[in-house]
Amino acid sequence: MKKAIAILLAAIFVLATFAACSGSKEKTITIAVPNDTTNEARALLLLQDKGYIKLKDGAGIQATVKDIAENPYSIEFREVEAAQIPNILQDVDYAVINSNYAISAKLNPVKDSLTIEGSSSAYGNILAVKKGNEESDKIKALKAALESQKVVDFINEKYDGAVVSVVENPGDGFDSSVDYAKLAGEKISVAASPAPHAEILAVVKEILAEKDVTLDIKEFTDYVQPNKVVDSGEIDANYFQHLPYLEDFNKENNTNVVSVGAIHVEPMGFYGGKQTTLDALTK
């Protein structure tokens, strides 16, 4: 009897070991995506476009991982604050990263990403101000400088496709309706993320300086404070976000910040972390 029990226990052990070994072959693929509503949806739409997942019918720019209808690769999603994703890239198999944060992390969205989204104008990065200030001379001067040919040329030369201008008719950098003589000596403050926004604004600063107007660039590394300081009136404008994000932010925070124009698009990139190719997502 004891011998039979011993044989049975040994058999169970072998079967359990075999099952464990078999299960170990099913490796979970982890992908980090931004955890803010619109950028998470944008990341998921990119993954759907590439055939890695399928979202529920009707899921659009508000989609979250809860809206995934089909997940054939059994992907495990890690929802992470957008600015922090480059810092955890080595801990996940893949990550979808906003180009501004990729550039800050010394990643080239064109050369280093495994795939990249199209340059959809729906996600154009905008110049935004507190509602009611759209027609002030300060804002019109800032907008004209951002929409200049000089800025378009800088974007094309500096970023080589990682950042794409969406300004259709760039000008000389100045608005004929603005009284620059009256504006001389004034300071315009603008909140921006370090790259590429603050870098682009450095060019704008040179343009405004020609009219004796000072551009004070305030750098932020998060997506929350730039809208709050504009809504409070502490800072004149910000330049870091796309319109879907702003609309969602206003709804969630009861703020009144509005767009006065789209300047550029930063295509989202899909980067390898532990995986260096897309082979793990190829059946």
Side-chain angles (χ1 to χ4, degrees):
M1 184 67 177
K2 290 183 179 179
K3 185 176 181 180
I5 292 174
I7 293 172
L8 179 60
L9 291 173
I12 291 172
F13 175 77
V14 170
L15 288 172
T17 303
F18 176 77
C21 290
S22 298
S24 67
K25 292 179 181 178
E26 297 296 326
K27 184 178 179 182
T28 300
I29 297 171
T30 56
I31 299 180
V33 296
N35 65 1
D36 61 277
T37 305
T38 53
N39 281 306
E40 179 170 8
R42 186 179 174 188
L44 296 175
L45 288 168
L46 170 61
L47 295 177
Q48 175 175 251
D49 183 60
K50 300 304 176 183
Y52 303 140
I53 60 171
K54 184 176 180 180
L55 297 170
K56 297 175 184 175
D57 290 342
I61 61 172
Q62 299 294 319
T64 70
V65 294
K66 294 179 181 179
D67 294 304
I68 296 173
E70 296 178 20
N71 186 0
Y73 296 95
S74 300
I75 296 166
E76 178 183 298
F77 288 92
R78 290 183 60 180
E79 297 166 288
V80 180
E81 202 278 316
Q84 297 304 316
I85 295 180
N87 298 331
I88 66 155
L89 183 57
Q90 71 278 1
D91 300 323
V92 294
D93 291 300
Y94 302 101
V96 184
I97 306 176
N98 296 72
S99 284
N100 59 314
Y101 292 127
I103 292 169
S104 294
K106 308 303 181 185
L107 293 169
N108 184 307
V110 176
K111 297 178 181 178
D112 296 329
S113 64
L114 299 175
T115 188
I116 196 166
E117 73 177 351
S119 301
S120 170
S121 58
Y123 296 109
N125 279 214
I126 58 174
L127 175 65
V129 302
K130 185 178 178 64
K131 188 174 183 179
N133 294 339
E134 301 96 313
E135 294 300 315
S136 70
D137 274 1
K138 277 187 174 184
I139 300 308
K140 288 195 291 185
L142 176 58
K143 181 175 184 285
L146 265 172
E147 293 179 342
S148 68
Q149 186 64 53
K150 188 173 182 179
V151 166
V152 171
D153 292 341
F154 174 80
I155 289 173
N156 291 339
E157 294 168 11
K158 171 75 174 179
Y159 303 108
D160 193 25
V163 177
V164 181
S165 172
V166 295
V167 175
E168 295 184 357
N169 298 298
D172 63 1
F174 305 106
D175 186 324
S176 60
S177 71
V178 171
D179 186 346
Y180 284 96
K182 187 175 180 180
L183 202 57
E186 292 286 330
K187 180 184 291 185
I188 303 172
S189 57
V190 57
S193 62
H197 306 86
E199 296 171 347
I200 294 170
L201 286 169
V203 179
V204 172
K205 186 171 186 173
E206 295 175 359
I207 295 171
L208 291 173
E210 294 179 33
K211 298 294 186 180
D212 194 27
V213 177
T214 300
L215 184 65
D216 184 16
I217 305 167
K218 303 287 190 182
E219 293 189 12
F220 290 81
T221 57
D222 71 287
Y223 279 178
V224 176
Q225 291 307 311
N227 278 330
K228 288 192 172 181
V229 293
V230 168
D231 185 65
S232 69
E234 181 182 341
I235 290 181
D236 296 313
N238 67 44
Y239 175 42
F240 76 98
Q241 68 195 321
H242 50 64
L243 187 57
Y245 178 84
L246 174 60
E247 291 175 338
D248 186 68
F249 188 95
N250 281 331
K251 187 190 306 180
E252 294 294 324
N253 295 275
N254 198 31
T255 45
N256 288 288
V257 181
V258 297
S259 169
V260 293
I263 308 302
H264 74 263
V265 172
E266 301 167 12
M268 259 188 171
F270 186 52
Y271 297 82
K274 294 178 181 179
Q275 304 290 333
T276 57
T277 71
L278 294 171
D279 290 349
L281 292 169
T282 304
K283 282 192 173 182

